[in-house]
Amino acid sequence: MKKKDFYKDLLEYLELDETNLDETTNLKALEGFDSMSILSVIAFCDEKFGKKFTAQQLNAIITVKNLMELIGMEEFED
Amino acid sequence: MKTLSNKNIVITGASSGIGREIAIEASHLGASVILIARKKEGLQATYERLKAGDHIVFSSDITNYMELEPLITKAVQKTGKISGFVHAAGIEMTMPFRNMKPDYYEKIFGINVIAGLELARIISKKNYLDESGGSFVFISSVMGKFGKEGKVAYCASKAALTSSIKAMALELSQKKIRCNAILPGVVKTSMVENMFASLPDSSVEEIIKQHPLGLGLPEDIAHIAVFLLSDKAKWITGSEIVIDGGYSAG
Ligand SMILES: NC(=O)c1ccc[n+]([C@@H]2O[C@H](COP(=O)([O-])OP(=O)(O)OC[C@H]3O[C@@H](n4cnc5c(N)ncnc54)[C@H](OP(=O)(O)O)[C@@H]3O)[C@@H](O)[C@H]2O)c1
């Protein structure tokens, strides 16, 4: 998946007001990111990449890059 | 004589958790049980814990609706007519409403509601139902009465199930069939283990705290189910029986 499509789709799933994401964005510091958002990220990874993660795995994630690493960097292109 | 002697009871969701425990308890009370679920290993593990008797195991996906009647026909040929049915098969889904899709609702309703109603309809036919009538027990949930974030589909499916037993109780009373729903709070089963794994620790702690007597065990639900299946419950129909360690008292 193209990185810019990934950022766009992720924002759409999370329904946050933020309009710009990149690898350095601190996901959990985004305004409106709450416990439901973690579930949205889990649903997103399952739906888009067929990967099932637990809340515990996602707890360790801070930045968008951390999430991409969990999914697997080979899934992304510039 | 034991309370469920001479009763053949069909149980969905018998490979795990609440359905498994009901099957075990019913067999110890003298019933012959007909176990239905998909996973063969889970069914086998349940079978090994049954009190010996004329039990049958069917590995089947209950959303293959066309296969349900042939399955009941086979069960009746093998063990005789049916006097009890427990629909314990079910799936949970924790998903923010914003990310829901029509096929997610279809999937959860298929298993939690439609398959259970279809099996009840089939079993209530003259060819399959015991002459003395029957008792149908549906494992619903307190979530059918109360909301919870991320549970729109699950709550909807359980509310549908709880309501449907009332209409069914009225229609089937002529056939001497009683229909009741059990509404458990959170019970320690693999369904809940998986759900807890998808939730942040703070949400898990909150759910546990909402149960003043702590989380339930499958046997807590099984005790009520076997009572409803027995003739001791002969004047109970169309009822919702909440068993939730105090969850809904708050
Ligand atoms: N645990 C709780 O806290 C709780 C609370 C309230 C209500 N409930 C309800 O209680 C019931 C039992 O749940 P549980 O906690 O015991 O969960 P569980 O351990 O996950 O058991 C669910 C059962 O449903 C069966 N099942 C699922 N999809 C099926 C399908 N398509 N065809 C046939 N069988 C299917 C599973 O068998 P296979 O995977 O082998 O097919 C399994 O035997 C459910 O209806 C649940 O909604 C549970």
Side-chain angles (χ1 to χ4, degrees):
Chain A
M1 180 186 272
K2 288 220 158 57
K3 284 183 183 171
K4 72 173 183 3
D5 294 333
F6 172 73
Y7 304 144
K8 190 174 131 278
D9 289 355
L10 183 59
L11 272 177
E12 211 174 285
Y13 250 71
L14 289 167
E15 275 192 355
L16 298 178
D17 288 337
E18 184 68 40
T19 48
N20 279 315
L21 280 193
D22 62 33
E23 290 189 19
T24 62
T25 309
N26 180 339
L27 264 179
K28 289 175 185 161
L30 291 173
E31 201 179 322
F33 194 96
D34 56 14
S35 60
M36 278 290 109
S37 308
I38 299 268
L39 294 177
S40 285
V41 176
I42 292 176
F44 174 81
C45 296
D46 189 7
E47 177 89 2
K48 302 281 178 189
F49 300 96
K51 302 205 169 164
K52 293 190 194 305
F53 299 120
T54 65
Q56 278 70 23
Q57 283 172 295
L58 288 173
N59 266 343
I61 279 170
I62 298 168
T63 62
V64 171
K65 177 144 193 238
N66 296 151
L67 176 62
M68 293 163 79
E69 283 165 348
L70 183 68
I71 294 167
M73 275 309 202
E74 67 283 359
E75 299 276 0
F76 301 99
E77 52 191 85
D78 285 323
Chain B
M1 194 164 107
K2 293 186 176 162
T3 52
L4 297 180
S5 293
N6 304 321
K7 290 192 192 289
N8 299 325
I9 299 173
V10 173
I11 304 173
T12 67
S15 63
S16 166
I18 293 172
R20 165 179 290 165
E21 207 56 40
I22 295 171
I24 294 166
E25 202 155 313
S27 75
H28 283 267
L29 292 171
S32 295
V33 288
I34 297 126
L35 312 179
I36 308 176
R38 290 164 305 178
K39 297 195 191 85
K40 291 202 171 95
E41 324 80 71
L43 286 165
Q44 183 58 29
T46 305
Y47 187 81
E48 283 163 15
R49 291 181 53 201
L50 299 177
K51 174 120 181 148
D54 267 344
H55 310 301
I56 311 179
V57 172
F58 287 114
S59 165
S60 178
D61 184 329
I62 54 171
T63 57
N64 293 330
Y65 307 124
M66 300 312 285
E67 290 173 12
L68 298 177
E69 184 149 3
L71 187 151
I72 296 300
T73 309
K74 247 193 248 166
V76 170
Q77 280 163 357
K78 282 196 182 165
T79 58
K81 288 191 168 178
I82 293 163
S83 43
F85 168 52
V86 179
H87 183 50
I91 54 167
E92 188 273 335
M93 187 176 288
T94 309
M95 168 92 66
F97 184 50
R98 61 175 170 251
N99 303 131
M100 284 301 295
K101 302 218 161 92
D103 49 329
Y104 298 168
Y105 297 107
E106 279 172 10
K107 181 171 182 211
I108 201 166
F109 269 75
I111 297 165
N112 293 6
V113 186
I114 299 170
L117 299 184
E118 179 59 3
L119 270 165
R121 184 188 70 81
I122 294 165
I123 294 169
S124 66
K125 289 186 183 184
K126 224 174 42 219
N127 291 350
Y128 308 126
L129 182 73
D130 192 86
E131 279 74 24
S132 62
S135 169
F136 294 174
V137 178
F138 295 82
I139 309 300
S140 184
S141 167
V142 284
M143 291 298 153
K145 294 184 93 63
F146 302 95
K148 190 97 198 147
E149 302 90 337
K151 300 267 189 216
V152 172
Y154 186 71
C155 290
S157 74
K158 292 301 186 180
L161 193 59
T162 306
S163 295
S164 64
I165 63 109
K166 293 173 194 286
M168 220 187 303
L170 297 177
E171 272 196 50
L172 296 182
S173 61
Q174 299 160 351
K175 294 185 170 184
K176 291 183 285 180
I177 299 173
R178 296 180 292 103
C179 302
N180 294 290
I182 299 178
L183 283 57
V186 175
V187 178
K188 287 184 198 161
T189 65
S190 50
M191 175 185 282
V192 165
E193 268 169 39
N194 294 336
M195 177 183 89
F196 280 0
S198 74
L199 294 175
D201 291 345
S202 56
S203 306
V204 172
E205 281 157 26
E206 188 191 313
I207 293 172
I208 297 172
K209 244 196 262 154
Q210 285 167 334
H211 293 74
L213 295 183
L215 302 185
L217 296 175
E219 68 207 42
D220 295 323
I221 309 306
H223 298 328
I224 303 290
V226 295
F227 168 69
L228 289 171
L229 289 167
S230 80
D231 296 336
K232 289 185 181 170
K234 68 181 169 37
W235 207 48
I236 305 180
T237 196
S239 292
E240 306 169 15
I241 300 179
V242 173
I243 163 158
D244 65 0
Y247 178 89
S248 54

